[in-house]
Amino acid sequence: MSTLADDTLTGLLDGPRARGAFLLRSILNPPWSIRIEDRAPLSLVIPAQGDAWIVPDHGDPVQLHPGEVAIMRGPTPYTIADDPATVPQVIIYPGQRCVTIDGEDIGESRSLGVRTWGNNEGSAVMLSGTYQMQREIGQRLFGALPPVLVRPIDAGDSALVALLEGEMLKQEPGQELVLDRILDLVLVSVLRAWLASPGVGAPAWYRAQHDPVVGAALQLVHTEPAHPWTVATLAARAGVSRAALARRFTALVGEPPMNYLTSLRLALAADLLRESNATIGSVARKVGYSSSFALSTAFKRVRGMSPQEYIRQAATNPGSPIAAVS
């Protein structure tokens, strides 16, 4: 069943796609402490040299060593420091505006060249990548993450981190695209390893992908979300009765198959609605609804707003997904 699970997971891992991600190499001397209030949906921190502590607003501090990567799920603020007791000296706000605790803007004064910031010399070197946009299709995956996830970098991925640091210091044509793709590879590698590790609390929908019946149904809806699926047609393709699929799917995934399909379709629709040339009718057809009215009705019922309202809010909040009313 590994092939089915991998194929289904691919659609969710496609959600974290960097586009103009903010990347920074920070050189720091102790005592140092940086308060992060940028409301980014997802951030990565990799210590290239020296240790660090991630101090969430709620929860225990987590130590971070070279050879590890930390993923922070936003938009909740957190602090990164040389020691949990060090008082923040710098605050980073949305737009990566960097100020002292007294409000003095120091972004330019601390610049050390291409994507490098801090002190001329330091005992700690931190690589950070901040995602500016998070697609709706990845919400099921991101929602399963803890607020702070620290994972070791696999031996095979250490070259990726070295490549990321080297590319961060360059300023060549297409550099932003190169950095986005490397950052994506690091993120997906960490997420995939976390999901595959036993005892880490992987979400029910991920574990369900390894079931021969439910995994087959999940692959079908992720591969062809616009198909007019019913529980009966899914059951027939999976080789079981309608009642058996409904019972097994709900038990393993945590919701009935048609609820899961609706959530998937509406997440896909939300991403498509952000595109400038999209119409509600064209989006409806792409995700399996017969008309713009049918999509609008489902969107309003499940997400608490109409597609038109979603489009207006997306236009004013282009850097993050719009929260749905559950």
Side-chain angles (χ1 to χ4, degrees):
M1 287 303 299
S2 60
T3 300
L4 294 182
D6 290 344
D7 288 347
T8 304
L9 184 60
T10 296
L12 297 174
L13 288 175
D14 190 51
R17 183 70 64 82
R19 292 175 176 84
F22 182 83
L23 289 115
L24 190 66
R25 181 173 177 266
S26 301
I27 303 175
L28 304 159
N29 269 324
W32 60 270
S33 179
I34 302 172
R35 172 82 173 161
I36 311 296
E37 297 186 4
D38 61 3
R39 298 190 61 78
L42 199 74
S43 300
L44 281 75
V45 174
I46 305 170
Q49 177 181 311
D51 295 342
W53 286 85
I54 307 294
V55 186
D57 277 16
H58 305 287
D60 297 327
V62 180
Q63 193 167 19
L64 184 61
H65 307 283
E68 296 178 325
V69 58
I71 297 177
M72 276 69 68
R73 177 168 56 86
T76 306
Y78 61 92
T79 300
I80 179 168
D82 68 321
D83 186 279
T86 303
V87 176
Q89 304 130 348
V90 173
I91 304 175
I92 297 180
Y93 289 114
Q96 302 304 313
R97 186 169 67 91
C98 183
V99 303
T100 66
I101 202 71
D102 297 321
E104 177 190 357
D105 195 312
I106 59 170
E108 291 298 323
S109 64
R110 294 283 186 90
S111 177
L112 298 175
V114 179
R115 300 183 189 86
T116 303
W117 181 91
N119 309 113
N120 284 316
E121 295 182 2
S123 60
V125 178
M126 300 290 150
L127 311 180
S128 58
T130 301
Y131 278 74
Q132 304 301 308
M133 180 176 175
Q134 187 173 317
R135 294 176 60 210
E136 296 282 346
I137 194 60
Q139 287 300 303
R140 187 178 292 272
L141 175 58
F142 288 126
L145 289 172
V148 179
L149 172 65
V150 173
R151 293 285 304 174
I153 299 170
D154 291 341
D157 294 327
S158 59
L160 272 179
V161 174
L163 180 62
L164 179 66
E165 183 174 16
E167 291 290 336
M168 287 172 68
L169 300 176
K170 297 179 182 179
Q171 189 68 18
E172 298 178 359
Q175 198 67 44
E176 184 176 282
L177 178 62
V178 171
L179 287 168
D180 283 349
R181 296 293 79 80
I182 299 172
L183 185 66
D184 288 342
L185 288 172
V186 173
L187 174 62
V188 169
S189 177
V190 173
L191 292 176
R192 187 172 58 182
W194 172 69
L195 287 168
S197 298
V200 298
W205 57 260
Y206 178 78
R207 297 193 301 271
Q209 294 175 92
H210 299 278
D211 181 81
V213 172
V214 177
L218 285 168
Q219 187 199 28
L220 288 169
V221 298
H222 277 267
T223 302
E224 299 180 80
H227 186 82
W229 295 113
T230 64
V231 178
T233 57
L234 282 172
R237 293 283 294 274
V240 295
S241 70
R242 179 184 182 281
L245 176 63
R247 182 172 58 251
R248 193 171 185 86
F249 195 104
T250 303
L252 295 182
V253 178
E255 61 183 317
M258 290 298 101
N259 287 31
Y260 185 95
L261 177 59
T262 297
S263 296
L264 175 63
R265 285 173 168 170
L266 295 183
L268 292 169
D271 286 337
L272 291 169
L273 288 168
R274 286 178 177 267
E275 298 178 2
S276 59
N277 61 345
T279 67
I280 297 174
S282 65
V283 170
R285 290 188 293 273
K286 289 179 180 178
V287 300
Y289 288 92
S290 59
S291 66
S292 57
F293 177 77
L295 173 60
S296 297
T297 300
F299 208 94
K300 177 75 172 179
R301 173 174 53 82
V302 174
R303 302 180 71 90
M305 66 179 76
S306 69
Q308 294 91 337
E309 291 170 322
Y310 179 87
I311 292 169
R312 285 195 294 270
Q313 290 197 32
T316 58
N317 298 277
S320 62
I322 306 302
V325 177
S326 57

